[in-house]
Amino acid sequence: MSASKIVNSKLEKYFPWFCCVGFLLVFWALFTGRSPQIGHDYKYFLPRLVEGADYTLKNWGIQYFSRFCGGFPAYGNPQSMQLSVPQVFFFFLTPYAALVSSVLFYCFLGFWGMYWLLRRGLEISSVVAATGALVFISNGFFFSHLMAGNFSYITFPLIPWVLLFLVESDRAEKKRSQIIFLSCSVFIATSFLYSGGYWTSFVLGGGILYFFTFVKRIRVSLFLAFIFLSVLLGLSKLQAFLDFHPILYHDYQLQKSKDFVDALRSAGAALFLPPSWAGYKETGFWWEYSSLLCPLILLALLLKDEQGVKEKN
């Protein structure tokens, strides 16, 4: 074997790993370079992931309501990440270590997903596929969102795996293989919804339409089956979000305070009077105008504790 062939053989074998490991090291250095400072939006995700880990380890079930904001709906929240891979890292790692580990893990999956999509789907050489994978995982869309703290975008690198399994399902000859590959693509696509990546689902939809329209076509029946099964598997999360959505987005008006005394009166009314008694217009959403239940609950707990102390004495 000539020297050039040996070099090409070694290059084909080790170049993808060189690109992958090199990218992970560079990304890790950039992502943790500001430690302990992190993106501002992580203040939303990290407390909820810590709470989700605590809830899951204690109850081993779906968390339908959060402990934040007096029982804020969790399962219907489109950015809830309880049913996600990063949530698993929070079971046994510190929050910051779990965050970094999750990011590197998804970067690793994204690189090899794009690599095998180019190798198997488009049948190009290993070196070109590794270069394409490196370009994909280095894109500014993913990096900028993670640096800013938009942690729900972490599922973005899994998009090539959905496309790869659809391509493999289309080219498979055995029915069993077709079903297995289709099931894998549906499971990964639906996981975006359950792991808080609802925006990634929109990117996935555009990516699928573009890829199978201009790059590589698949059977229409397979494409329709993928859409139907994805919607069917994600129906629980979609229904929870549709029930939760009207509570978040609707019109309401708050009464303005004329001066400092009026502001104190409004605050007192919000704590100790129902909305209608305080002069607020009721829209059916009590907690927007009144926190009356909070002092009542605290008073009941206080009386209960005093009763318990008397019984012990």
Side-chain angles (χ1 to χ4, degrees):
M1 183 180 293
S2 62
S4 61
K5 289 185 178 181
I6 295 176
V7 172
N8 290 334
S9 176
K10 296 294 184 180
L11 192 63
E12 289 273 334
K13 183 177 181 180
Y14 294 110
F15 185 72
W17 283 103
F18 173 78
C19 291
C20 179
V21 175
F23 169 78
L24 291 178
L25 290 175
V26 172
F27 195 91
W28 171 79
L30 293 174
F31 188 75
T32 60
R34 297 182 299 168
S35 177
Q37 296 180 353
I38 56 177
H40 58 277
D41 276 357
Y42 284 115
K43 66 184 178 182
Y44 173 86
F45 289 100
L46 287 183
R48 284 162 176 77
L49 283 166
V50 171
E51 182 206 14
D54 178 70
Y55 180 91
T56 306
L57 290 175
K58 290 180 179 178
N59 300 278
W60 290 105
I62 297 176
Q63 184 181 12
Y64 291 100
F65 294 94
S66 171
R67 298 162 186 167
F68 296 107
C69 302
F72 193 79
Y75 185 65
N77 183 357
Q79 293 197 104
S80 172
M81 299 186 69
Q82 186 201 10
L83 303 177
S84 66
V85 174
Q87 183 68 90
V88 178
F89 284 100
F90 278 78
F91 289 165
F92 52 86
L93 294 176
T94 62
Y96 185 73
L99 172 66
V100 176
S101 300
S102 301
V103 171
L104 295 179
F105 177 70
Y106 272 88
C107 288
F108 178 84
L109 292 180
F111 178 89
W112 289 107
M114 179 56 73
Y115 174 81
W116 287 113
L117 175 63
L118 297 176
R119 284 283 285 164
R120 297 279 302 175
L122 302 183
E123 300 178 351
I124 60 179
S125 67
S126 177
V127 174
V128 177
T131 305
L134 184 61
V135 171
F136 166 76
I137 200 61
S138 303
N139 72 86
F141 174 83
F142 178 65
F143 182 78
S144 61
H145 275 292
L146 285 186
M147 292 300 289
N150 307 140
F151 199 46
S152 57
Y153 284 86
I154 198 173
T155 54
F156 176 80
L158 298 183
I159 290 178
W161 287 102
V162 178
L163 302 177
L164 174 63
F165 285 127
L166 283 175
V167 170
E168 293 294 340
S169 178
D170 183 62
R171 68 167 48 155
E173 297 181 357
K174 296 183 179 179
K175 195 71 174 179
R176 181 180 179 183
S177 299
Q178 294 177 4
I179 295 175
I180 291 175
F181 286 127
L182 176 60
S183 300
C184 290
S185 64
V186 169
F187 178 79
I188 296 174
T190 310
S191 71
F192 294 172
L193 292 176
Y194 287 94
S195 58
Y198 67 102
W199 278 114
T200 313
S201 301
F202 292 112
V203 179
L204 172 64
I208 288 177
L209 290 176
Y210 180 86
F211 186 82
F212 294 124
T213 302
F214 300 104
V215 181
K216 190 176 184 64
R217 296 185 180 275
I218 62 172
R219 300 190 309 273
V220 176
S221 59
L222 176 63
F223 181 69
L224 294 177
F226 168 78
I227 296 177
F228 174 75
L229 293 175
S230 298
V231 173
L232 187 65
L233 191 59
L235 198 59
S236 174
K237 186 71 172 181
L238 290 172
Q239 183 61 48
F241 169 68
L242 292 176
D243 290 339
F244 173 57
H245 181 269
I247 301 178
L248 283 181
Y249 303 103
H250 58 278
D251 297 327
Y252 63 93
Q253 295 180 351
L254 293 176
Q255 180 177 340
K256 296 181 180 179
S257 300
K258 300 177 182 178
D259 49 37
F260 181 72
V261 176
D262 192 46
L264 290 179
R265 185 196 65 80
S266 298
L271 286 172
F272 302 108
L273 293 177
S276 58
W277 293 11
Y280 295 120
K281 180 182 178 182
E282 291 193 59
T283 61
F285 301 97
W286 180 289
W287 289 92
E288 292 172 358
Y289 299 101
S290 176
S291 300
L292 173 64
L293 293 181
C294 288
L296 290 180
I297 293 173
L298 291 175
L299 179 62
L301 292 175
L302 180 62
L303 294 176
K304 181 180 178 182
D305 290 340
E306 290 184 353
Q307 184 179 2
V309 171
K310 291 181 180 179
E311 291 178 355
K312 289 182 180 179
N313 295 334

